[in-house]
Amino acid sequence: MATLRDVLYETVREGELYEKLDRNRVRCFACGHCCPIPDGQPGVCKVRYNRGGTLYVPWGYVGGVQCDPIEKKPFFHASPGALAYSFGMLGCDLHCSYCQNWVTSQALRDPAAVAPPLGVTPKALAREAVRHGAKVVVSTYNEPLITSEWAVAIFKEARAAGLKSAFVSNGNGTPQVLEYLRPWVDLYKVDLKSFDDRHYRQLGGRLQPILETIRRLYEMEFWVEIVTLVIPGFNDSDEELERLAEFLVSVSADIPWHVTAFHKDYKMTDPDNTRPEDLLRAADIGKKAGLRFVYTGNLPGLVEDLENTYCPGCNTLLIERYGYRILGYHLTKDGSCPKCGRAIPGRWAPEGFRHQITDRPYLPRRERLVRLGIV
Ligand code: SF4
């Protein structure tokens, strides 16, 4: 019987993010590992592989599709209330023991992770996104950097249909992949998991490429928001959170920082779930460091007013939220404070806020996906 690896190795095409080396080896630039790959071998992610001196990369399928509120990604300063049509492939370049998307991200590493690939074309996905009323198409669920070529193919169709695009990523990038993405990606969320290189090595990565990517993303004018899942005993010391927040301020005090609550998942079941007071402490550290927009996530209603956006100039309430739900929206059409006129950084929809299309995730209708050949 064909294994998942056999199936995935058939749905490929030649990659665009690599160079040829001697002895039929190649070097991949899609993520910060920059793997030199011998003939016949895959890279660390297991989904990009060298055959005969050519790098083959995933193509023509999704591991999952879902309609999400954009606030779930989370983007709080980009088209509030929009529907984010979200897709993912399979595989990841890290192996976080607490991954909340492990069924797709660890599909080629962990036999318990079973997510059958579903064949689809970029045009069909973009068409479905429009039909659902989405404003943004998002590559998420697995690490999108390692499947950048496929994401760009979809984003080209999405752009032609008038949609924006986004990456929800671990940020383990390279200058080459960011140049490749820049024309086609509008919004970029980085999951900054820790500020300790030893912790990153436990997850299968390094801290430095991620910090360099965040700085570069900002300089290249992607819209960037950062998330840190606060895990008790892993990354939540005052000292580590302070260094992390100070780094973000050194890039820009205007970058929104979301500190979100961990719950036991996958193989990480020892730490306690994050308590509201842990998030409030992390948020306080971010504000004291000078970040202007700090949000708490995953514990709606338990974190004082830290789900809302306030004007950093006059403290006027601009966007009121409960979880993913927008309760009040007071920004002007051009994204300014209605009281003091201060411009609030973000990618606000030019038509202004009309309503929220959904405040909870849902699956696109199955029969429609079958007709499109998605399942
Ligand atoms: S995407 Fe990253 S892990 Fe995968 S082959 Fe390329 S450099 Fe290696």
Side-chain angles (χ1 to χ4, degrees):
M1 200 176 98
T3 64
L4 178 59
R5 181 185 144 128
D6 296 336
V7 173
L8 290 185
Y9 274 29
E10 290 306 309
T11 53
V12 290
R13 67 181 282 179
E14 184 177 359
E16 297 180 8
L17 288 157
Y18 81 105
E19 65 177 357
K20 292 181 185 278
L21 304 174
D22 60 351
R23 291 177 282 127
N24 262 5
R25 294 178 313 137
V26 301
R27 184 182 302 281
C28 175
F29 297 126
C31 90
H33 291 318
C34 293
C35 300
I37 311 175
D39 191 2
Q41 296 297 317
V44 169
C45 60
K46 310 270 188 233
V47 297
R48 299 168 77 91
Y49 66 91
N50 177 354
R51 189 169 64 209
T54 297
L55 183 73
Y56 289 92
V57 306
W59 193 264
Y61 78 88
V62 291
V65 184
Q66 185 169 292
C67 296
D68 289 332
I70 196 165
E71 285 73 17
K72 180 172 186 272
K73 302 292 93 186
F75 288 109
F76 275 16
H77 287 227
S79 301
L83 179 67
Y85 191 87
S86 306
F87 67 89
M89 299 188 94
L90 300 175
C92 190
D93 54 336
L94 302 184
H95 46 80
C96 306
S97 55
Y98 55 85
C99 183
Q100 292 170 357
N101 288 320
W102 65 274
V103 172
T104 46
S105 72
Q106 302 303 311
L108 280 165
R109 286 203 185 91
D110 185 337
V114 180
L118 317 165
V120 67
T121 65
K123 212 180 250 316
L125 271 181
R127 205 169 47 228
E128 271 303 277
V130 170
R131 206 182 65 82
H132 278 84
K135 290 272 183 293
V136 185
V137 175
V138 186
S139 185
T140 177
Y141 306 135
N142 76 316
E143 173 47 47
L145 286 167
I146 68 171
T147 47
S148 286
E149 290 93 342
W150 172 242
V152 164
I154 293 167
F155 292 163
K156 285 179 178 173
E157 296 291 344
R159 179 75 56 88
L163 307 180
K164 301 274 186 228
S165 60
F167 257 32
V168 170
S169 164
N170 62 29
N172 187 26
T174 63
Q176 293 91 335
V177 74
L178 297 188
E179 287 294 339
Y180 180 77
L181 296 173
R182 179 56 287 208
W184 303 108
V185 176
D186 300 295
L187 319 174
Y188 204 115
K189 190 216 85 174
V190 175
D191 195 1
L192 181 53
K193 299 166 191 289
S194 165
F195 210 73
D196 184 329
D197 190 58
R198 286 169 308 165
H199 291 158
Y200 260 104
R201 285 179 193 266
Q202 279 174 257
L203 309 177
R206 290 181 299 123
L207 175 61
Q208 197 54 33
I210 292 156
L211 301 186
E212 285 167 13
T213 297
I214 291 172
R215 202 173 281 286
R216 219 170 249 127
L217 285 166
Y218 182 79
E219 288 167 0
M220 294 171 77
E221 300 184 358
F222 290 83
W223 175 253
V224 182
E225 302 200 19
I226 305 290
V227 175
T228 300
L229 187 70
V230 176
I231 304 175
F234 178 70
N235 63 0
D236 72 331
S237 74
D238 284 0
E239 188 262 334
E240 182 167 345
L241 291 169
E242 276 161 17
R243 286 193 297 127
L244 190 156
E246 282 161 12
F247 164 76
L248 293 180
V249 172
S250 79
V251 179
S252 169
D254 282 338
I255 293 179
W257 186 38
H258 303 256
V259 287
T260 59
F262 160 84
H263 62 266
K264 297 173 196 279
D265 209 329
Y266 194 35
K267 293 178 181 166
M268 192 183 263
T269 51
D270 283 343
D272 292 329
N273 289 348
T274 313
R275 303 164 304 169
E277 52 266 43
D278 300 323
L279 290 191
L280 293 172
R281 177 174 58 84
D284 194 46
I285 287 170
K287 286 183 171 182
K288 284 199 175 116
L291 289 169
R292 297 194 181 100
F293 304 99
V294 181
Y295 301 106
T296 51
N298 294 352
L299 295 176
L302 301 176
V303 282
E304 300 175 357
D305 57 359
L306 285 161
E307 297 178 87
N308 301 335
T309 302
Y310 292 89
C311 176
C314 67
N315 209 33
T316 294
L317 175 61
L318 300 174
I319 306 176
E320 189 181 3
R321 302 181 186 84
Y322 177 92
Y324 307 141
R325 185 145 44 105
I326 293 178
L327 304 177
Y329 189 92
H330 311 293
L331 273 171
T332 64
K333 246 184 171 182
D334 66 351
S336 299
C337 171
K339 190 164 172 211
C340 71
R342 180 176 178 134
I344 306 302
R347 297 288 186 272
W348 313 106
E351 67 274 18
F353 179 74
R354 296 231 174 94
H355 62 275
Q356 183 166 33
I357 190 162
T358 179
D359 60 15
R360 68 196 64 189
Y362 63 92
L363 292 173
R365 289 224 330 264
R366 189 177 167 81
E367 62 272 25
R368 173 81 190 172
L369 298 182
V370 171
R371 255 192 295 142
L372 285 168
I374 292 182
V375 296

